[in-house]
Amino acid sequence: MTYEDIARDIKNGKFAPVYLLMGEEDYYIDRISDYIVEKSLDENEREFNLTIMYGLDTDMANIVNNAKRYPMMSEHQVVVVKEAQNLRAWDDLSFYLQKPLASTILVFCYKHGTLDKRKKIVAEIDKTGVLFESKKLKEAMLPGFITAYMKRKKVEIEDKAAEMMADFVGNDLNRLAGELDKLVITLPKGQNRVTPTEIERNIGISKEYNNFELKSALITKDILKANKIVKYFNDNPKNNPLQPTLALLFNYFSNLMVAYYAPERTENGVAAYLGLKSTWQAKEYIAGMRAYTGMKVMNIITQIRLSDARSKGIGNVTLSQGEILRELVYFILH
């Protein structure tokens, strides 16, 4: 099941007897777990019918014993097992799954990895309840996530502003959600649209000199603008470290290489092929295909890898991070 499927069922009061929420992305695991508690128990019911357990401090036998209890003056009781990746003896859950208590909602939060899917217990959980793997979002999907998140807050965000936030925070969704919440709070009364100016004012990112603008300058081959940004980065190294810049450029040119194989080189065709949530993101890939040949893109990807190695001291003893970026940008543009 997808996150949206699970959230819809929970909203409609349709609960599974057991949930195994696992994966590298904490955000969706936390969201589903919190949403189950919110929708299944009111605040008064939680005092007697919500049990929080931690995998490091308990075992499966204790968890099952708690799951077998009946709720007190409530339709449900909820048992949430956090840090479930520290649990052992998962097979001990098997007997309970044969006839789980209908009034109990048992939630396992397994973070920073997944339970071995070859284990029989994984198939049993999937058959009886809900099995969900929370995967890290690709960088290209972050602006879509930001736009959707702000829409739920009844706030619009301009495409460029969403790109700036994605570039600044990266794919740590919990941190990203926190920064977006702060942004919503700081909006002037009556304003429900976030522009790059708000990002610059409240988050501290320059709307003129950032990785998003550097990428745009490279796509359009604006040599003057690209070099101005490189100089700004070199003059402000603490606020503009090289690694996030290299990561963003590698992500863009890697996707650009894939875009050449899209059956249809239209906005809809490229967006579908790359798995982008909105067609406006495809525009920069279409522009990139016009500006660079496939062979040049392959060479650029190699050069970004070399720049990354140099930034870590491999094969380089003299160049500063600013000089590494300057050489890379020169190679891309010429």
Side-chain angles (χ1 to χ4, degrees):
M1 295 181 72
T2 66
Y3 169 76
E4 289 76 14
D5 293 334
I6 298 169
R8 182 172 57 252
D9 282 351
I10 294 170
K11 182 179 180 180
N12 294 329
K14 182 181 177 182
F15 302 103
V18 60
Y19 292 81
L20 175 54
L21 314 174
M22 60 183 185
E24 296 292 340
E25 179 51 67
D26 295 355
Y27 176 79
Y28 292 111
I29 295 173
D30 292 336
R31 287 272 298 181
I32 293 172
S33 175
D34 291 344
Y35 200 36
I36 289 170
V37 173
E38 177 188 336
K39 290 297 182 181
S40 62
L41 301 171
D42 63 34
E43 290 188 11
N44 294 325
E45 291 172 332
R46 291 172 201 171
E47 183 176 355
F48 297 105
N49 298 290
L50 174 61
T51 304
I52 306 292
M53 309 179 78
Y54 292 85
L56 201 61
D57 302 324
T58 190
D59 56 33
M60 195 60 74
N62 193 25
I63 293 168
V64 169
N65 285 335
N66 275 275
K68 288 180 177 179
R69 290 187 301 138
Y70 287 93
M72 184 179 296
M73 295 179 291
S74 174
E75 184 179 352
H76 297 288
Q77 74 136 344
V78 181
V79 179
V80 179
V81 185
K82 299 188 176 184
E83 300 174 7
Q85 66 273 14
N86 295 311
L87 282 172
R88 298 293 179 267
W90 279 86
D91 289 342
D92 292 351
L93 180 64
S94 184
F95 184 74
Y96 175 77
L97 292 177
Q98 293 176 21
K99 196 174 180 180
L101 204 62
S103 57
T104 294
I105 305 171
L106 177 57
V107 184
F108 291 97
C109 300
Y110 190 116
K111 296 183 177 181
H112 317 303
T114 61
L115 193 59
D116 189 343
K117 296 174 186 176
R118 294 170 297 180
K119 288 181 176 289
K120 182 181 177 182
I121 191 65
V122 175
E124 291 175 347
I125 292 173
D126 193 24
K127 180 181 178 181
T128 305
V130 169
L131 179 67
F132 172 73
E133 183 176 352
S134 183
K135 298 179 179 180
K136 285 285 186 185
L137 280 189
K138 295 179 181 178
E139 298 288 342
M141 299 176 72
L142 291 177
F145 170 86
I146 291 169
T147 300
Y149 186 90
M150 296 299 268
K151 187 176 181 180
R152 290 196 297 270
K153 300 282 185 180
K154 297 184 173 19
V155 174
E156 292 182 57
I157 183 167
E158 292 186 8
D159 293 345
K160 181 180 176 181
E163 287 270 8
M164 290 170 68
M165 284 298 296
D167 171 43
F168 176 68
V169 179
N171 66 349
D172 182 338
L173 297 190
N174 276 320
R175 183 185 166 211
L176 185 55
E179 292 291 344
L180 292 172
D181 288 341
K182 293 177 190 175
L183 198 57
V184 172
I185 293 171
T186 58
L187 282 176
K189 188 176 181 180
Q191 183 175 331
N192 65 345
R193 185 177 180 84
V194 176
T195 66
T197 301
E198 271 74 46
I199 301 292
E200 184 176 34
R201 182 187 303 121
N202 297 299
I203 306 298
I205 314 167
S206 169
K207 65 180 180 179
E208 300 296 333
Y209 301 101
N210 56 68
N211 288 327
F212 171 70
E213 289 299 323
L214 176 60
K215 181 180 68 174
S216 296
L218 295 177
I219 293 170
T220 58
K221 290 196 169 183
D222 189 333
I223 296 174
L224 178 61
K225 182 178 179 181
N227 283 309
K228 281 183 177 181
I229 295 171
V230 170
K231 183 179 184 305
Y232 179 85
F233 283 7
N234 190 49
D235 293 340
N236 300 274
K238 289 185 178 180
N239 295 329
N240 303 279
L242 180 59
Q243 290 304 317
T245 304
L246 293 178
L248 181 138
L249 294 179
F250 182 80
N251 180 69
Y252 171 73
F253 283 104
S254 296
N255 279 338
L256 181 58
M257 192 73 251
V258 175
Y260 281 104
Y261 296 93
E264 295 182 20
R265 293 188 182 181
T266 62
E267 289 181 17
N268 287 327
V270 171
Y273 196 69
L274 293 179
L276 305 176
K277 288 194 172 182
S278 58
T279 55
W280 64 263
Q281 291 176 275
K283 292 179 181 178
E284 61 185 15
Y285 292 106
I286 292 174
M289 284 188 281
R290 295 194 190 105
Y292 299 95
T293 65
M295 183 59 69
K296 178 65 174 180
V297 173
M298 287 181 65
N299 291 333
I300 288 171
I301 292 171
T302 300
Q303 198 64 30
I304 294 172
R305 289 184 181 277
L306 290 173
S307 298
D308 179 58
R310 286 180 176 179
S311 72
K312 296 168 182 173
I314 301 172
N316 168 52
V317 292
T318 58
L319 294 179
S320 68
Q321 294 206 352
E323 290 169 331
I324 292 172
L325 180 60
R326 187 181 298 113
E327 286 193 2
L328 174 61
V329 168
Y330 181 87
F331 179 87
I332 293 172
L333 292 172
H334 296 87

